[in-house]
Amino acid sequence: MTKAIDISHLSKRFSTKRGSTLVLDDISLSIAPGEFLTIVGASGCGKSTLLRIIAGLETSDSGSVHVGSKAVCGPGVDRAMVFQDYSLFPWMTVKRNVLFSRRLAANNHDKLARQRGAEHERALRLISLVGLSAVQDSYPSQLSGGMRQRVAIARALMSKPSIILMDEPFGALDAQTREVMQDLVLSVVAQEGTTIVFVTHDVEEALYLGSRVVLMSPHPGRIDTIYDVPMDRDRNVMMRVDPRFVALKRMVMDRVRETVGLSLDKSAMENNLVEA
């Protein structure tokens, strides 16, 4: 089976004043092309660290990550990342922010001119796709939080990445705006055919967006359970009250609580052993 992302026996440690802390332990996971995979778990489970390793922003201590057939050794144009804090340039308009994307520069001016024309057309299409044509000449300070995140999503799509990595991108938004953004990203991704890995602490959001939900347990971060979401990809608000959705949400939330309890029990036991 073709894999967009293949993670094999990945482990990561961080150095602290008290020594070395194991953050991720033996993570193995495969993600199919075009899949919308969500990752959920309690604080300290390493989900954001895992995302950053896939992005090439962090390195692992052991194991590997492959995108397609290539090992991840650093950032690449095949992956784009959307953060919670928007990361927009305040001195650039919406259009200029979208146009600003990582790409390899052309070696000659003619090729660069042709690229600029095509990129301008694509930027305008993406701005329209996320519903911001009317404010394309506005600056980030003139936009709401939800609108800024729309700009960030359009910019992530600009370089036509095969994979978009999203790290709690809607965490700072109010509940109503968050639901609008969830539907927007589902619509945009369906049109672009992009593979998505989406990190969130919100179980309902993870289930609403994902075709599969990966639950990670904390201290150290491990894959605890992978849930298939038995719903059509044509998601809508009525899905949230579907008995199957409600039952699955309760199951995942119960398991999140259990993983936190198991983590605390293990930590207490280790502390007692150290003190003894």
Side-chain angles (χ1 to χ4, degrees):
M1 184 183 74
T2 305
K3 301 173 183 177
I5 304 171
D6 188 37
I7 303 166
S8 181
H9 301 291
L10 194 77
S11 295
K12 171 71 176 178
R13 288 182 175 273
F14 283 135
S15 297
T16 65
K17 293 180 179 180
R18 304 178 70 178
S20 179
T21 300
L22 184 62
V23 179
L24 295 173
D25 184 27
D26 196 27
I27 302 291
S28 292
L29 180 66
S30 294
I31 303 166
E35 182 174 4
F36 200 129
L37 183 97
T38 53
I39 303 175
V40 71
S43 297
C45 70
K47 52 189 184 290
S48 291
T49 300
L50 176 59
L51 205 69
R52 290 177 64 83
I53 291 174
I54 298 171
L57 301 176
E58 297 273 1
T59 58
S60 62
D61 294 311
S62 61
S64 63
V65 177
H66 283 79
V67 170
S69 60
K70 297 181 180 179
V72 171
C73 301
V77 293
D78 53 355
R79 286 151 287 141
M81 196 150 177
V82 178
F83 299 93
Q84 181 176 334
D85 61 0
Y86 320 126
S87 301
L88 302 180
F89 297 109
W91 60 88
M92 291 185 181
T93 63
V94 167
K95 184 165 62 179
R96 288 183 63 201
N97 263 289
V98 173
L99 280 165
F100 187 93
S101 60
R102 289 179 300 171
R103 61 182 182 272
L104 295 174
N107 292 325
N108 63 73
H109 293 297
D110 290 340
K111 184 176 180 181
L112 184 58
R114 290 195 300 272
Q115 284 184 343
R116 282 175 176 165
E119 287 171 357
H120 188 267
E121 290 181 9
R122 178 164 174 78
L124 293 179
R125 191 185 77 79
L126 290 172
I127 290 169
S128 174
L129 193 61
V130 299
L132 293 178
S133 294
V135 294
Q136 65 181 13
D137 295 319
S138 299
Y139 291 89
S141 62
Q142 299 171 306
L143 306 178
S144 67
M147 294 170 79
R148 292 178 194 175
Q149 199 57 285
R150 290 180 187 219
V151 179
I153 292 169
R155 186 175 66 180
L157 289 162
M158 182 63 201
S159 59
K160 299 182 181 179
S162 59
I163 296 162
I164 294 183
L165 308 166
M166 308 184 83
D167 191 6
E168 301 199 30
F170 309 146
L173 305 178
D174 62 81
Q176 290 77 19
T177 304
R178 190 171 187 143
E179 289 188 5
V180 170
M181 291 300 298
Q182 289 166 2
D183 288 335
L184 173 74
V185 77
L186 285 172
S187 174
V188 169
V189 167
Q191 293 190 51
E192 290 285 316
T194 314
T195 303
I196 303 290
V197 185
F198 188 107
V199 162
T200 179
H201 66 275
D202 187 312
V203 170
E204 181 172 305
E205 180 171 71
L207 293 170
Y208 185 74
L209 293 174
S211 53
R212 286 191 300 160
V213 175
V214 175
L215 170 60
M216 293 183 64
S217 59
H219 310 303
R222 297 188 177 102
I223 293 178
D224 181 84
T225 313
I226 299 177
Y227 299 91
D228 290 315
V229 182
M231 305 286 190
D232 294 336
R233 288 308 299 160
D234 185 17
R235 306 289 164 91
N236 59 70
V237 68
M238 294 307 297
M239 175 177 163
R240 300 179 192 271
V241 295
D242 186 303
R244 295 173 298 166
F245 184 86
V246 174
L248 185 56
K249 177 182 173 182
R250 184 180 299 115
M251 181 190 303
V252 177
M253 292 182 71
D254 287 346
R255 185 57 193 162
V256 170
R257 295 187 188 98
E258 288 170 1
T259 62
V260 173
L262 290 171
S263 174
L264 291 173
D265 289 345
K266 182 179 178 182
S267 177
M269 183 176 67
E270 288 175 346
N271 288 336
N272 286 336
L273 287 173
V274 169
E275 291 171 1

